[in-house]
């Protein structure tokens, strides 16, 4: 009923008819509600009496058997009090940007445990990069998806150099033997192809989500299910507040990674993306094909896999974005907005590891280089 008509109503008539309607409602609801609650319980009972099917996958995914989250006590969200006002917490396409304080991990953990979610994390330990594995896995055991099921997928050409680790329950290490490439650019770019191929052949059977990161890193604080979403990217720490013009997107029109100067949302880091296996397949497939097309045309995007990733995210926007808390370099200091540094670049001994961006010859670029090592 439109509001203006309502005010015209004769008060007494109005009151009596409202009384009547309310009475009818109470009677009807009482009768129906009782019945529907009972049948709801009956259906729950039927579900729980269902012979449990051997495969965990089916029974835990059946929406009928999902039990409601238990009682939890926490502060009520405040409509006019955003938890943070110093940072952007949502993009114009309504993807959340994840900062400390913007979420309640207890609620999220309960939701993801209920779905019995399994997370795969991929890293590439090619050639001498095997030296980073130990720190990576040891810190991940401490901070990454604690309490959830995790598969570490280590792509390497030196499986014998990966030592045994004692992992917590529900976590396992899977070593994937892959070829090495001569140039670091090729090693970096081929990651897209390898993730794509394994996603298609294997990962979809073993995990729900994939998190694809660089190995020359260490976890320094908790990284949990708050990062999971259909497809997510991470703000590159070196460009988190940069103008479009300053982004190091590919600017040559001949490249498939080309982005015009008047487009672009953020500059995403090549060393941290993920999502469901299906979405990661789409992303890596796009990037690999775009690289191959460029290769045929004898052009390679300026920042290799990262340039193609940025092109993909411009037109297939991520459903969640990780703030620089999730990817930081200590040489950049600790600004006020950064409440946690969860995942940090491990300083490299360049002469021992052979800097993959080998730019020592050009000291002017050294600073950008360090950021790019991500
Ligand atoms: C991070 O956020 C939590 C709330 O989720 C808050 O209790 C804590 O103080 C924050 N940490 C910092 C360093 O601001
Ligand atoms: C790792 O541990 C397993 C079981 O304890 C053992 O069979 C295997 O040989 C070990 N591998 C290495 C490289 O030490
Ligand atoms: C690259 O060129 C080769 C040979 O001409 C062709 O077979 C292949 O399909 C091309 N690949 C792409 C991605 O354009
Ligand atoms: C870096 O590696 C080189 C070559 O292995 C070695 O000589 C040098 O001592 C190392 N430097 C540091 C700081 O570890």
């Amino acid at each position: 009923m439109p509001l203006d008509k309502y005010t015209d109503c004769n008060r007494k008539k109005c009151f009596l008819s409202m009384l009547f309607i309310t009475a009818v409602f109470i009677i009807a609801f009482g009768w129906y509600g009782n019945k529907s609650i009972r049948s709801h319980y009956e259906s729950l009972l039927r579900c729980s009496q269902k012979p449990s099917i051997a495969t965990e996958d089916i029974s835990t995914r059946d929406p009928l058997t999902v039990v409601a989250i238990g009682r939890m006590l926490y502060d009520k969200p405040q409509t006019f009090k955003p938890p943070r006002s110093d940072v952007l917490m949502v993009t114009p396409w309504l993807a959340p940007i994840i900062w400390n304080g913007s979420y309640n991990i207890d609620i999220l953990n309960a939701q993801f445990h209920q779905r019995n979610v399994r997370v795969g994390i991929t890293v590439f330990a090619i050639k001498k990069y095997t030296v980073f594995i130990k720190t990576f896995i040891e810190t991940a055991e401490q901070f990454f998806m604690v309490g959830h099921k995790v598969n570490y997928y280590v792509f390497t050409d030196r499986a014998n150099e990966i030592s045994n680790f004692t992992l917590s329950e529900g976590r396992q290490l899977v070593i994937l033997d892959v070829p090495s490439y001569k140039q670091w650019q090729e090693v970096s770019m081929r990651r897209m192809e390898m993730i794509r191929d394994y996603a298609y052949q294997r990962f979809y059977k073993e995990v729900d989500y994939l998190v694809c990161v660089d190995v020359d890193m260490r976890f320094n604080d908790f990284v949990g299910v708050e990062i999971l979403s259909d497809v997510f990217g991470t703000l590159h720490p070196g460009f988190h507040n940069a103008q479009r013009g300053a982004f190091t997107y590919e600017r040559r029109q001949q490249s498939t990674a080309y982005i015009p100067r008047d487009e672009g949302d953020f500059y995403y880091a090549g060393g941290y993306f993920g999502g469901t296996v299906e979405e990661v397949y789409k992303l890596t497939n796009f990037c690999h094909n775009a690289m191959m097309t460029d290769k045929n045309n004898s052009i390679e995007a300026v920042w290799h896999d990262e340039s193609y990733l940025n092109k993909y995210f411009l037109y297939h926007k991520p459903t969640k974005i990780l703030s620089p808390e999730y990817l930081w370099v200590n040489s950049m200091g600790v600004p006020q907005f950064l409440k946690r540094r969860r995942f940090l670049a491990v300083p490299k001994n360049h002469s021992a590891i052979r800097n993959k961006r080998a730019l020592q010859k050009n000291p002017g670029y050294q600073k950008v280089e360090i950021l790019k090592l991500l």
Side-chain angles (χ1 to χ4, degrees):
M1 196 203 298
L3 284 178
D4 52 347
K5 292 250 175 65
Y6 182 74
T7 53
D8 285 347
C9 182
N10 171 303
R11 284 220 178 144
K12 198 172 165 198
K13 225 165 73 187
C14 204
F15 176 74
L16 286 176
S17 49
M18 289 296 281
L19 202 66
F20 177 73
I21 291 170
T22 312
V24 168
F25 256 98
I26 290 171
I27 293 164
F29 191 75
W31 176 76
Y32 179 77
N34 209 349
K35 196 175 146 202
S36 70
I37 287 169
R38 202 179 321 123
S39 69
H40 178 64
Y41 271 114
E42 275 162 11
S43 68
L44 273 184
L45 275 177
R46 271 201 303 276
C47 287
S48 60
Q49 282 162 0
K50 236 174 30 179
S52 67
I53 301 166
T55 67
E56 188 186 334
D57 291 16
I58 294 171
S59 60
T60 53
R61 272 137 218 273
D62 184 349
L64 289 175
T65 62
V66 167
V67 190
I69 291 177
R71 176 174 148 82
M72 279 176 89
L73 295 181
Y74 50 83
D75 289 340
K76 171 193 169 300
Q78 302 287 328
T79 308
F80 296 111
K81 261 200 208 151
R84 289 189 63 169
S85 52
D86 60 333
V87 289
L88 184 68
M89 287 207 294
V90 65
T91 67
W93 59 94
L94 298 181
I97 304 177
I98 314 305
W99 299 91
N100 188 55
S102 66
Y103 61 89
N104 179 328
I105 194 62
D106 300 330
I107 301 177
L108 291 170
N109 274 334
Q111 290 178 328
F112 280 85
H113 277 307
Q114 193 178 42
R115 291 164 53 193
N116 194 21
V117 107
R118 298 161 304 176
V119 183
I121 180 165
T122 67
V123 287
F124 286 79
I126 306 285
K127 300 183 195 172
K128 289 184 180 165
Y129 275 68
T130 48
V131 300
F132 295 107
I133 280 291
K134 190 170 185 304
T135 303
F136 182 90
I137 292 188
E138 283 174 1
T139 58
E141 281 295 290
Q142 209 180 340
F143 294 119
F144 182 74
M145 300 286 164
V146 175
H148 294 274
K149 292 186 180 151
V150 172
N151 280 8
Y152 295 98
Y153 293 117
V154 178
F155 293 79
T156 186
D157 58 337
R158 298 182 179 182
N160 59 335
E161 287 181 17
I162 313 285
S163 51
N164 264 353
F165 293 94
T166 315
L167 305 177
S168 306
E169 203 192 325
R171 304 168 78 103
Q172 52 178 317
L173 179 66
V174 180
I175 304 222
L176 304 170
D177 257 310
V178 293
S180 153
Y181 290 90
K182 209 165 170 191
Q183 290 179 302
W184 67 261
Q185 293 94 333
E186 187 85 359
V187 169
S188 183
M189 296 208 302
R190 288 286 170 176
R191 297 187 294 183
M192 291 292 184
E193 181 184 28
M194 294 183 211
I195 294 171
R196 177 196 70 176
D197 291 348
Y198 274 92
Y200 185 77
Q201 295 161 12
R202 173 166 186 169
F203 296 156
Y204 78 93
K205 289 184 260 182
E206 301 179 352
V207 292
D208 303 294
Y209 290 94
L210 286 170
V211 178
C212 308
V213 293
D214 281 351
V215 72
D216 47 347
M217 304 288 299
R218 67 184 164 92
F219 289 88
N220 182 61
D221 204 338
F222 291 101
V223 172
V225 293
E226 76 276 7
I227 70 170
L228 301 178
S229 188
D230 281 359
V231 58
F232 65 85
T234 305
L235 298 186
H236 192 296
F239 299 93
H240 62 270
N241 193 28
Q243 297 301 306
R244 273 179 180 153
F247 291 159
T248 52
Y249 291 150
E250 174 55 61
R251 301 300 190 182
R252 290 168 297 173
Q253 290 193 28
Q254 309 91 285
S255 170
T256 51
Y258 168 66
I259 298 179
R261 289 193 181 270
D262 56 356
E263 288 183 67
D265 305 299
F266 300 104
Y267 191 77
Y268 302 98
Y272 204 145
F273 62 87
T276 59
V277 177
E278 186 184 344
E279 286 297 325
V280 169
Y281 173 82
K282 287 188 211 161
L283 180 158
T284 49
N285 188 44
F286 169 90
C287 292
H288 178 66
N289 289 339
M291 271 176 222
M292 287 297 120
T293 304
D294 275 6
K295 203 175 168 133
N296 269 8
N297 296 323
S298 309
I299 188 167
E300 188 179 297
V302 58
W303 287 112
H304 325 290
D305 41 322
E306 187 168 83
S307 303
Y308 299 97
L309 179 74
N310 273 279
K311 179 65 175 272
Y312 185 79
F313 276 155
L314 176 59
Y315 301 128
H316 306 81
K317 303 224 188 277
T319 54
K320 208 174 242 189
I321 293 180
L322 310 186
S323 73
E325 288 175 13
Y326 291 88
L327 191 54
W328 195 250
V329 198
N330 271 344
S331 61
M332 291 179 62
V334 187
Q336 184 66 28
F337 68 81
L338 203 67
K339 305 297 182 204
R340 292 175 171 208
R341 288 168 294 150
R342 303 167 192 264
F343 194 47
L344 293 169
V346 173
K348 282 202 231 351
N349 178 344
H350 285 189
S351 47
I353 300 297
R354 287 190 79 78
N355 179 6
K356 52 179 173 172
R357 312 283 178 191
L359 269 196
Q360 292 95 326
K361 282 186 215 134
N362 193 346
Y365 281 99
Q366 203 97 43
K367 189 138 187 255
V368 177
E369 249 348 272
I370 292 166
L371 308 182
K372 280 296 172 186
L373 286 172
L374 300 167

Coordinates of all heavy atoms in Angstrom, one line a residue, residues 83-84 99-105 221 325 336-340 342, ligand 1:
P83 N 35.0 -0.7 10.0 CA 36.1 -1.1 10.8 C 37.4 -0.3 10.5 O 38.2 0.0 11.3 CB 36.3 -2.6 10.6 CG 35.5 -2.9 9.4 CD 34.5 -1.9 9.2
R84 N 37.5 0.1 9.2 CA 38.7 0.9 8.8 C 38.2 2.0 7.9 O 37.4 1.7 7.0 CB 39.8 0.1 8.2 CG 40.4 -0.8 9.2 CD 41.6 -1.5 8.7 NE 42.7 -0.6 8.3 CZ 43.9 -1.0 8.1 NH1 44.2 -2.3 8.1 NH2 44.9 -0.1 7.7
W99 N 42.2 -6.4 4.3 CA 43.2 -5.7 5.2 C 42.9 -6.3 6.6 O 41.8 -6.7 6.9 CB 42.9 -4.2 5.3 CG 43.0 -3.5 4.0 CD1 42.1 -3.2 3.1 CD2 44.2 -2.8 3.5 NE1 42.6 -2.5 2.0 CE2 43.9 -2.2 2.3 CE3 45.5 -2.7 4.0 CZ2 44.8 -1.5 1.5 CZ3 46.5 -2.0 3.3 CH2 46.1 -1.4 2.0
N100 N 43.9 -6.2 7.5 CA 43.6 -6.6 8.9 C 42.5 -5.7 9.4 O 42.5 -4.5 9.1 CB 44.9 -6.4 9.7 CG 44.7 -6.9 11.1 OD1 44.3 -8.1 11.3 ND2 44.8 -6.1 12.1
G101 N 41.6 -6.3 10.2 CA 40.5 -5.5 10.8 C 39.3 -5.5 9.9 O 38.2 -5.2 10.4
S102 N 39.4 -6.0 8.6 CA 38.2 -5.9 7.8 C 37.4 -7.2 7.8 O 36.3 -7.3 7.2 CB 38.6 -5.6 6.3 OG 39.4 -6.7 5.8
Y103 N 37.8 -8.2 8.6 CA 37.1 -9.5 8.6 C 37.3 -10.1 10.0 O 38.2 -9.7 10.7 CB 37.6 -10.4 7.5 CG 39.1 -10.7 7.7 CD1 39.5 -11.8 8.5 CD2 40.1 -9.9 7.2 CE1 40.8 -12.1 8.8 CE2 41.4 -10.2 7.4 CZ 41.8 -11.2 8.2 OH 43.1 -11.5 8.5
N104 N 36.4 -11.1 10.2 CA 36.5 -11.8 11.5 C 36.8 -13.3 11.1 O 36.1 -14.0 10.5 CB 35.1 -11.8 12.2 CG 35.1 -12.6 13.5 OD1 35.8 -13.6 13.6 ND2 34.3 -12.1 14.4
I105 N 38.1 -13.6 11.4 CA 38.6 -14.9 11.0 C 37.8 -16.1 11.6 O 37.7 -17.2 11.0 CB 40.1 -15.0 11.3 CG1 40.7 -16.2 10.5 CG2 40.4 -15.1 12.7 CD1 40.6 -16.2 9.0
D221 N 53.3 -13.9 9.3 CA 52.0 -13.7 10.1 C 50.9 -14.5 9.4 O 51.2 -15.0 8.2 CB 51.7 -12.2 10.1 CG 50.8 -11.8 11.3 OD1 50.1 -12.7 11.8 OD2 50.8 -10.6 11.7
E325 N 49.6 -6.2 2.8 CA 49.9 -7.1 3.9 C 50.3 -8.5 3.5 O 51.1 -9.1 4.2 CB 48.7 -7.2 4.8 CG 48.2 -6.0 5.6 CD 46.9 -6.2 6.3 OE1 46.5 -7.4 6.4 OE2 46.3 -5.3 6.7
Q336 N 52.2 3.2 8.1 CA 51.1 3.2 9.1 C 50.0 2.3 8.7 O 49.4 1.6 9.6 CB 50.6 4.7 9.2 CG 49.6 4.9 10.3 CD 50.1 4.7 11.7 OE1 51.3 4.9 11.9 NE2 49.3 4.3 12.6
F337 N 49.6 2.3 7.4 CA 48.4 1.5 7.0 C 48.7 0.0 7.1 O 47.7 -0.8 7.1 CB 48.0 1.9 5.6 CG 49.0 1.5 4.5 CD1 49.0 0.2 4.1 CD2 49.9 2.4 4.0 CE1 49.9 -0.2 3.1 CE2 50.8 2.0 3.0 CZ 50.8 0.7 2.6
L338 N 49.9 -0.4 7.2 CA 50.3 -1.8 7.1 C 50.3 -2.4 8.5 O 51.3 -2.3 9.3 CB 51.7 -1.9 6.5 CG 52.0 -3.3 5.8 CD1 51.1 -3.5 4.6 CD2 53.5 -3.4 5.5
K339 N 49.2 -3.0 8.9 CA 49.0 -3.5 10.3 C 49.7 -4.8 10.5 O 50.1 -5.2 11.6 CB 47.6 -3.6 10.7 CG 46.8 -2.3 10.5 CD 47.3 -1.2 11.4 CE 46.4 0.0 11.3 NZ 47.1 1.2 11.7
R340 N 49.9 -5.5 9.4 CA 50.6 -6.8 9.5 C 51.4 -7.0 8.2 O 51.0 -6.5 7.2 CB 49.6 -8.0 9.5 CG 48.8 -8.0 10.8 CD 47.7 -9.1 10.7 NE 47.0 -9.4 11.9 CZ 46.5 -10.6 12.2 NH1 46.7 -11.6 11.4 NH2 45.9 -10.7 13.4
R342 N 52.4 -10.2 6.4 CA 52.2 -11.6 6.5 C 53.1 -12.4 5.6 O 53.3 -13.6 5.9 CB 50.7 -11.8 6.0 CG 49.7 -11.0 6.8 CD 48.3 -11.1 6.1 NE 47.4 -10.2 6.6 CZ 46.4 -10.5 7.5 NH1 46.4 -11.7 8.0 NH2 45.6 -9.6 7.9
Ligands
LIG1 C1 44.1 -6.4 13.4 O1 42.7 -6.6 13.4 C2 42.2 -7.1 14.6 C3 40.7 -7.3 14.4 O2 40.4 -8.1 13.4 C4 42.5 -6.2 15.7 O3 42.1 -6.7 16.9 C5 44.0 -5.9 15.8 O4 44.3 -5.0 16.8 C6 44.6 -5.5 14.5 N1 46.0 -5.4 14.5 C7 46.6 -4.3 14.4 C8 48.1 -4.4 14.5 O5 46.1 -3.2 14.1

